[in-house]
Each structure stands twice: as C-alpha cells, then as structure tokens.
Amino acid sequence: MPAPNSPQLRFLLRASGLFVVMLTLWWWLLLSPMLAGLRFSTGAILWMMPGGRTASGVVLQPDGDWAVRVPLPEFLVKQEAIQRAYRRVPGAPSPVNVRSFRLAIADRVPTFFTLGFPLFWALALAAPLSRRVWRVLAIGTALLAVLSQLSLLVYLAYAIETTLQLAPSGLPAALWRAAEYLNVNVLPYVAPLFLAAWLHRDLRTQIFSWGEPAPVPVPVVEEEKSKRGRYRGRS
Amino acid sequence: MPEVNPTPPPVSPGPQMRMGRFLLIFGVSLAVLFGLLLAPPTEPAVARFTTGLVTVSAALIRLFGGHAVAIGDLLQNPGTHFAIEMAYGCNGAHVTILLWAAVLAFPATWVQKAKGLAAGTAAIHLVNLLRFISLFYVGQYSRAWFDFAHLYLWESLMMIDTLVIFWTWAHFVRKSGRTANASAQ
C-alpha cells in the first residue's frame, strides 16, 4: 500500500476524482457532439468506400440506435458465402445483386468507444502539471479520436462477418474473434492508460524513474548544526 | 566569448533501451496471457474462478448483515430475486493480465516479481469484489445507474487502480535496489 501522502496515493486520489468530474462532463455535455462527430466521420468513410456514393449512410434512429448502411464491394458480393446468405437459388445463372448491408448498432456501442476521452484527460491532468500538458491533451485527444473511429469500423466489420458468416474456420477465425474481444472489452480502457504514459513524460518518468539523476543525500547533520548555531546566537 | 562545443554530449541510451526492453516483454506477455485467457481449454478454470468470486461476494454481504446467495456466476437477493451476473470480462482478469505483463516486464528479481504478482493480484481482486458488491446494491436501486456504473465508471477506476498498484510496486523495487546499492558501498 502506498504510504500516506506518497505520489502514488496523491495520483490515485487526483486521477479518480478528476475521472468522476470528466465522466460527468463527458456524459452531460460532450457525448452528444462526440457521437455526432463519430457518426459524420463514419458516414464519410463509408461514402469513400467502393460503391459508397450510391449505397452508404449512418442514420440516427428515434431510440438513439444507429442504422448503418455499409457498401459491399463487388468482389465480396460474388463470394459464395454472401450469395448463400442472400438465398441465391442453386444453379441460377446470375448472382444475386447486393449493393449494401444494413446494420443496427445499439447506442451504447459508439458511446463505449468514446469512453477513453474522459479517462485519458483525467490521467493526463492528474500527472504532475507542466506547460506540456496542453500539448499532451491535444495529441492524446486526436489519437483517441482516430482510435475510436478505427474501433467502430472493426466492430462493423465483425458484425457483418458474423451475420454473413464469412470468416474461415481455424486459427484466422480465432484470431479475428480475439481481436474483436479486445477491441470491445479491453482497448477502450487500456488505450488511454498507454497514451497517457507514452505522451506525458513527467508521468512516465515518475512511474519508471529511468534516467533520473541519482538521489542527492540530504545534509541532515549540517542543518542541525546551523540551527543550533542560530539558537546560540539568539540566547 | 564562451567556447561552444559543436558536438552535443552523447545521450546515454540506458533509459531508452530499458523502455524498449520493457515494451517488448510487456507486449509479448500481454499477447500470451490474453491468448491463454481466451483459449478454450482455460475456459472451465476461468469459469470456476468467477464462480468462486461470486461465492465470496455473497459470503461477504451476509457477513455484514445483507441478503445474497450465489447461484453459479449469479449473485441474487433472495428477497427481491434481483440478480447480477459476473460475466467473463467482469472478473478482474483483464486488469490482472495488464498488471502481470507490466510486473514481468519491469527489471526486478524473480522474488520481487513474485511478491508483486501476489500482492498486486490480491489488491486488484479486493477492489473488484468491492466493485461487484457495490454494483449489486446499485442495480437494486436503479437500472440506469447500474449500467452507468458498470460500463463507464468502475471499469475505468479499476484501470487507474491497476496503474497505481504497479507504480507502487515499481517504487518499492527501486527503493530496495537503492538500499542494496547503498549497503554494498
């Protein structure tokens, strides 16, 4: 256990307190614009995909869930698994024409991918304050924005794959499942921690203390002597 | 005019090398440990561990005068029949793996690492029990608050705790190293 008033205990209390504040701020003020931004960027990415100009989009449902229309590239549509999923009649001369895949995402999924922001801000601000902290906050926030977008795209790809049963069996399927598990259950919590330790030099130095100068011995005896001298002088 | 040295003094590669080594071992340990966690042969062991945690939670609640029974991985209030399930990711395994990977990667003796793994794991699961029991009560009060505390609040606080547990252990390792160096001089 950290001793009272140790840097570890101070950091724990500051980071936990700041996290509660940031989480409240995120939940009441920032979540809505963040989700709107994520919806917009996801829509833009889907639009840029092959076939996306005619068959793509992200629509907010009245219950808060997202309806995502993902364009399916032609090479994918021709695959047997997709043709089977869309009930192509065996022996039919022409393949079933599929342009996009419509997917409903519960609102908590994209919300979850933005959880890293308040955790990262709390960790960065709980570390020793310096002028660099604003730079750390800006870079970390930008990287987390990219990461949340990537996580959502991986989630979409996995949802399509499991619905259409496209993945091969064996090791690739197991690795793909593991990647999705980590993407949803681990990455949103771990990424802010890594980013804070990577970007915040003071925090990293405090935790690892690699390369710090050797501790200077405190001149206890001399200090006591000087105090005694002062007292003698006064008396 | 002061003399200007055109070549800067060589920077010691020590800390960078150590950080590189730490990151390498940390990454490999993470991959191996998460691979083990998600491998089908370890599922029964993880399930038994989860059931054990629920049993301990129920016992702790009863010890302090509350009402709870453990039914497999479910913690239930026998009066209201409200129950919560300790799912695969809720048993503290993720943060334990993070701590183990960090402790294994940090330069320390094997005895220090063993102590760090044991004490750190105990500390994490103590906090996790507190988390699970608090969620049991919050869930009986409000479903919305339960979801918020479960998904957003507690998991992140567990991450902060894990970082601080590792930091505290690393601090003691460095301190004991300095003491050993000082006594050797």
Side-chain angles (χ1 to χ4, degrees):
Chain A
M1 281 294 290
N5 208 24
S6 70
Q8 294 88 7
L9 185 67
R10 278 203 304 273
F11 179 83
L12 176 68
L13 295 176
R14 272 213 319 245
S16 303
L18 277 166
F19 176 67
V20 173
V21 173
M22 293 295 163
L23 196 68
T24 311
L25 195 71
W26 168 77
W27 185 254
W28 291 111
L29 288 176
L30 302 172
L31 185 57
S32 242
M34 275 182 175
L35 289 178
L38 194 58
R39 220 165 30 243
F40 176 79
S41 57
T42 306
I45 290 168
L46 295 178
W47 186 81
M48 285 189 282
M49 283 174 64
R53 294 186 184 198
T54 53
S56 72
V58 184
V59 179
L60 185 65
Q61 305 287 89
D63 60 356
D65 291 354
W66 291 17
V68 184
R69 199 175 170 201
V70 183
L72 292 178
E74 204 171 334
F75 76 91
L76 206 63
V77 171
K78 285 178 181 167
Q79 280 192 8
E80 188 58 33
I82 291 195
Q83 290 293 316
R84 215 173 33 240
Y86 282 92
R87 299 202 176 110
R88 180 190 178 192
V89 181
S94 57
V96 177
N97 189 20
V98 185
R99 287 196 306 166
S100 63
F101 186 86
R102 205 177 153 84
L103 201 66
I105 303 178
D107 63 338
R108 66 184 153 78
V109 174
T111 301
F112 199 60
F113 290 137
T114 62
L115 176 65
F117 291 98
L119 180 56
F120 172 74
W121 296 333
L123 289 169
L125 290 172
L129 278 178
S130 67
R131 282 181 186 178
R132 280 195 299 262
V133 77
W134 300 112
R135 195 165 161 264
V136 170
L137 283 171
I139 296 172
T141 303
L143 289 174
L144 278 174
V146 174
L147 199 68
S148 60
Q149 182 64 73
L150 289 175
S151 290
L152 185 62
L153 292 176
V154 170
Y155 178 84
L156 286 175
Y158 186 78
I160 293 172
E161 184 276 310
T162 43
T163 311
L164 298 179
Q165 298 176 334
L166 297 172
S169 55
L171 187 65
L175 288 176
W176 181 224
R177 267 200 309 276
E180 167 55 12
Y181 180 86
L182 297 177
N183 179 47
V184 173
N185 295 294
V186 180
L187 203 62
Y189 304 112
V190 174
L193 206 75
F194 285 173
L195 279 178
W198 176 46
L199 294 172
H200 206 302
R201 192 190 300 166
D202 295 340
L203 178 64
R204 196 172 63 240
T205 307
Q206 278 214 338
I207 294 172
F208 293 99
S209 289
W210 288 336
E212 68 174 5
V216 181
V218 182
V220 180
V221 180
E222 285 180 18
E223 197 174 77
E224 282 177 1
K225 276 180 183 172
S226 66
K227 274 181 185 172
R228 258 186 237 128
R230 269 209 305 270
Y231 282 120
R232 274 178 196 156
R234 280 179 189 170
S235 60
Chain B
M1 282 287 286
E3 280 186 24
V4 179
N5 190 356
T7 53
V11 180
S12 168
Q16 285 174 356
M17 288 272 286
R18 282 182 185 179
M19 185 53 89
R21 185 178 170 274
F22 174 86
L23 288 176
L24 183 71
I25 300 174
F26 181 71
V28 171
S29 306
L30 269 189
V32 170
L33 291 169
F34 270 116
L36 281 174
L37 178 74
L38 300 176
T42 56
E43 270 179 25
V46 176
R48 272 199 300 276
F49 176 69
T50 306
T51 308
L53 286 178
V54 177
T55 308
V56 172
S57 303
L60 278 172
I61 289 172
R62 285 197 300 271
L63 186 70
F64 287 97
H67 302 286
V69 286
I71 307 164
D73 57 359
L74 286 177
L75 184 66
Q76 192 185 55
N77 182 332
T80 61
H81 295 291
F82 170 84
I84 59 169
E85 180 192 6
M86 188 176 273
Y88 208 74
C90 301
N91 53 10
H94 296 160
V95 280
T96 307
I97 283 176
L98 274 178
L99 179 79
W100 284 11
V103 167
L104 289 174
F106 196 79
T109 65
W110 283 106
V111 174
Q112 287 170 329
K113 285 183 186 188
K115 283 180 185 171
L117 291 178
T121 306
I124 282 177
H125 286 288
L126 205 65
V127 178
N128 196 40
L129 283 176
L130 181 71
R131 164 187 166 273
F132 189 60
I133 292 170
S134 75
L135 286 174
F136 178 66
Y137 282 105
V138 170
Q140 293 178 71
Y141 172 71
S142 158
R143 174 64 205 242
W145 278 102
F146 171 81
D147 284 341
F148 185 82
H150 173 229
L151 287 173
Y152 309 128
L153 181 67
W154 260 119
E155 289 286 337
S156 303
L157 288 178
M158 290 279 293
M159 270 304 150
I160 297 173
D161 289 340
T162 307
L163 175 67
V164 171
I165 287 168
F166 170 71
W167 184 358
T168 306
W169 172 78
H171 170 76
F172 281 122
V173 167
R174 282 195 308 269
K175 209 171 147 187
S176 66
R178 276 179 199 153
T179 313
N181 286 344
S183 57
Q185 287 167 3

